[in-house]
Amino acid sequence: MAEPNPKKEHKSPGRKPPDTGELLEGIRRADRTALARGITLVESTLPSDREAADRLVESCLPHTGNSIRIGITGVPGAGKSTFIESLGLHLTGKGLKVAVLAVDPSSSLSKGSILGDKTRMNDLSRDPRAFIRPSPAGESLGGVTRKTRESIGLCEAAGFEVILVETVGVGQSETAVHGMVDFFLLLKIAGAGDELQGIKRGIMEMADAIVINKADGANLEAARQARTTFRQALHLYPPKADGWRPEVMLCSSTEGSGIEAVWETIRKYREKALENGSFDRKRMEQNTTWLRQAVSEQLVSGFYENPEVSRAYRELEQAVAARQISPFRAAERLLELYGPNR
Amino acid sequence: MAEPNPKKEHKSPGRKPPDTGELLEGIRRADRTALARGITLVESTLPSDREAADRLVESCLPHTGNSIRIGITGVPGAGKSTFIESLGLHLTGKGLKVAVLAVDPSSSLSKGSILGDKTRMNDLSRDPRAFIRPSPAGESLGGVTRKTRESIGLCEAAGFEVILVETVGVGQSETAVHGMVDFFLLLKIAGAGDELQGIKRGIMEMADAIVINKADGANLEAARQARTTFRQALHLYPPKADGWRPEVMLCSSTEGSGIEAVWETIRKYREKALENGSFDRKRMEQNTTWLRQAVSEQLVSGFYENPEVSRAYRELEQAVAARQISPFRAAERLLELYGPNR
């Protein structure tokens, strides 16, 4: 069910942060209002909410991990929302509880591009087994990914068994989503030469499956050709660290064909990865990466926000361009400046 | 000409660093002993040499930039050294001055894997128009890449017109080399199913040209098939930022076939990139990236070297694994620890 985003209620300064014990109880009983309020708390940018948000996230942590987390990316026009709706309805039809989240740091600019349009996923949003949450308000990628990453935990604590994380497929967010899911799916369409363009460098290599959408009617032949091309291309890469060989599949979200095969592939992946231990290992590595990335981002942004550094940076960058100083020596000078003045 | 690596003479503590004014003069007159000594100074890990090395690098900087920098990568067995020797001899035969450098941070482990074997590139090493420098001693990637990056500048100041930078193609060093060259070439061999394996993820996307080596005799048909496969695969990617469409070529270093075509492609690339401004833009961006990377590396390594941080890190990493704390909150705790104790 799509919930109204009650963010505004948290914007009034002086408002007491919500009782996280109550929120946790609600989330654990799968009360979707409590879940929505919890996510709003996690998304809040009010410093006074941060402590409560951390408390809520940590109290949920022991109840997390029991879902399959699936990242779904594709360029605009690839049919992500119809695909997610088809897959989501297919899964709720099997009795599974499905949450849909989104990472789109640019959403404030490209309004409505991702989960923002209330008319999208109409059927899924009315499904009592589904929970759809629009992207957090446009901000830095770091902020948005932390919020999404922690919201996954809240959804898991509420008992959601499948988490679908949508990303727009045109920015830096795919790497972030790839780093928070178990299975990463690239959605493509064939025809109109689309298979020959528009894949951002690096995305194809992250995919655990490439699904060629809109494989129906007059498009079917082109979709089959695209499947062959992608299969050959994927064979140029060595197997992934977990031993998985990415699959290429056809589907039609409108006809509903291929959706079951996609789910079967994901189940097969999970089974294999659980068996060989790579499922848990990957999640552990993802956590360590998030920890280290968060540290790096903070260190680096703190550095460049230093007024002396930021002034000197502009000068040194020009000196590097004018070949008066090597970039390494310039870095040393900046670090010398920062040291005593921090 | 391959120079003996006179590194040892710089290892005795208390030795006075060389006169960088004299070194610069020597380098500018293309005195290869001066060049070799200059590179040794840049490669020195003695803190007392650092200042002189920086001075030398900076005095060379105004004389840099007048070469084409070509990165060459490929898995062991792809025939990198024979290829580099063929290309090098082809270019010195045209009257060009060619320097060969290498990035191989693992060379201390995989001794002799790269430019270390004195018997390799026999003919090129005797060529008076060539200068071959083995990889700096095994160290951190950051250290090795800085040394190689700055050695390129010294070679340019000595008037070398083509700089070939070799990398082993199995580690992290390709990205580093890709970030210091104008043109990045991936060497492959066909046959024995090699075209279907062994490309590290991400490398194919960095390549400006894929050269299928050993395309001779019984291998020729397989090489042609590999060319078709790679061409199709490369078509799946959008054009690069500079508008260049990577080319796939055949060559045989032993027969000498295809070498001229490789050079023609590089020349065509340079012409086009100079014309549309991307040549200089790319170099400028590379410098900015080096500056920012050097800053990040130092900030991050300084952080983890802090004894309190390093102790707390182990505990917090376990707490994250045990789902007692979120990775983001753990990062915050580490940063809080670091702040006042720095």
Side-chain angles (χ1 to χ4, degrees), chain A residues 58 64 146 150 196 199 201-202 205 232-233 235-238 288 292 313 317 323 326 329 332 342, chain B residues 58 64 146 150 196 199 201-202 205 232-233 235-238 288 292 313 323 326 329 332 342:
Chain A
E58 281 175 31
T64 60
R146 172 177 184 163
E150 296 188 336
L196 300 183
I199 303 189
R201 290 176 184 275
E205 305 192 15
Q232 283 175 350
H235 268 292
L236 291 171
Y237 300 116
T288 311
R292 298 187 75 101
Y313 181 81
E317 200 184 20
R323 291 193 295 211
S326 102
R329 184 69 199 107
E332 280 166 9
R342 198 178 171 225
Chain B
E58 282 176 30
T64 60
R146 172 178 184 163
E150 297 189 335
L196 300 184
I199 303 191
R201 292 176 183 277
E205 303 191 16
Q232 283 176 350
H235 269 291
L236 291 170
Y237 300 116
T288 311
R292 298 186 76 101
Y313 181 80
R323 291 194 295 212
S326 101
R329 182 71 197 105
E332 280 166 9
R342 195 177 175 225

Side-chain angles (χ1 to χ4, degrees), chain B:
Chain B
M1 238 185 252
E3 311 299 328
N5 189 328
K7 181 166 288 158
K8 285 216 170 73
E9 78 175 52
H10 287 288
K11 289 272 159 147
S12 52
R15 182 194 47 74
K16 220 177 107 229
D19 182 328
T20 53
E22 254 175 48
L23 275 183
L24 175 65
E25 255 180 60
I27 289 171
R28 294 291 292 145
R29 308 191 285 277
D31 171 358
R32 52 189 58 245
T33 310
L35 176 58
R37 287 184 61 216
I39 294 182
T40 301
L41 179 64
V42 165
E43 288 178 356
S44 167
T45 50
L46 283 182
S48 57
D49 281 341
R50 193 64 247 168
E51 204 193 321
D54 284 340
R55 214 163 41 234
L56 179 63
V57 168
E58 282 176 30
S59 62
C60 284
L61 277 175
H63 312 292
T64 60
N66 295 316
S67 79
I68 173 104
R69 304 164 186 166
I70 304 165
I72 296 171
T73 194
V75 294
K80 284 191 296 298
S81 43
T82 17
F83 174 77
I84 290 175
E85 178 154 50
S86 297
L87 180 60
L89 289 169
H90 183 80
L91 298 177
T92 58
K94 287 175 181 287
L96 289 164
K97 294 176 68 187
V98 178
V100 183
L101 304 171
V103 172
D104 178 14
S106 64
S107 60
S108 60
L109 299 170
S110 57
K111 274 191 199 306
S113 72
I114 184 166
L115 289 179
D117 184 347
K118 299 289 185 224
T119 63
R120 291 172 60 212
M121 302 193 200
N122 248 330
D123 293 338
L124 190 62
S125 67
R126 279 195 292 263
D127 190 321
R129 287 206 185 83
F131 176 86
I132 302 180
R133 177 74 180 198
S135 179
E139 249 191 87
S140 74
L141 181 60
V144 166
T145 50
R146 172 178 184 163
K147 288 163 186 181
T148 309
R149 184 66 195 75
E150 297 189 335
S151 298
I152 290 176
L154 267 54
C155 292
E156 289 178 343
F160 285 92
E161 296 153 296
V162 180
I163 319 276
L164 304 176
V165 186
E166 180 182 0
T167 177
V168 279
V170 289
Q172 290 300 308
S173 47
E174 299 73 33
T175 313
V177 170
H178 179 253
M180 63 175 82
V181 298
D182 307 310
F183 191 91
F184 194 69
L185 190 153
L186 170 62
L187 203 67
K188 292 287 298 172
I189 44 168
D194 175 80
E195 70 276 22
L196 300 184
Q197 52 169 288
I199 303 191
K200 226 189 96 221
R201 292 176 183 277
I203 292 196
M204 207 165 77
E205 303 191 16
M206 292 194 279
D208 296 302
I210 295 178
V211 176
I212 299 159
N213 199 9
K214 305 188 185 177
D216 42 40
N219 255 331
L220 191 57
E221 201 33 57
R224 284 192 182 129
Q225 277 170 24
R227 178 174 57 187
T228 307
T229 310
F230 279 113
R231 278 185 179 155
Q232 283 176 350
L234 287 175
H235 269 291
L236 291 170
Y237 300 116
K240 300 199 156 197
D242 54 11
W244 179 253
R245 278 268 177 208
E247 295 203 4
V248 186
M249 283 166 287
L250 301 184
C251 97
S252 163
S253 308
T254 50
E255 290 184 356
S257 63
I259 297 286
E260 172 64 18
V262 169
W263 178 240
E264 268 312 305
T265 298
I266 297 171
R267 274 164 44 92
K268 194 172 72 187
Y269 170 83
R270 175 164 61 175
E271 200 178 310
K272 225 176 135 177
L274 281 169
E275 207 178 273
N276 68 23
S278 62
F279 194 87
D280 295 318
R281 196 164 51 242
K282 189 169 169 182
R283 286 190 170 181
M284 210 102 95
E285 285 166 3
Q286 286 178 338
N287 275 334
T288 311
T289 304
W290 286 112
L291 198 173
R292 298 186 76 101
Q293 265 178 12
V295 163
S296 300
E297 276 167 24
Q298 295 266 345
L299 285 173
V300 170
S301 65
F303 181 80
Y304 288 107
E305 279 161 15
N306 178 295
E308 282 204 56
V309 167
S310 114
R311 205 174 315 119
Y313 181 80
R314 278 189 295 273
E315 281 167 30
L316 283 166
E317 200 184 20
Q318 282 168 7
V320 166
R323 291 194 295 212
Q324 288 156 351
I325 184 169
S326 101
F328 302 95
R329 182 71 197 105
E332 280 166 9
R333 290 237 189 121
L334 287 175
L335 287 155
E336 283 159 19
L337 262 181
Y338 189 54
N341 293 305
R342 195 177 175 225

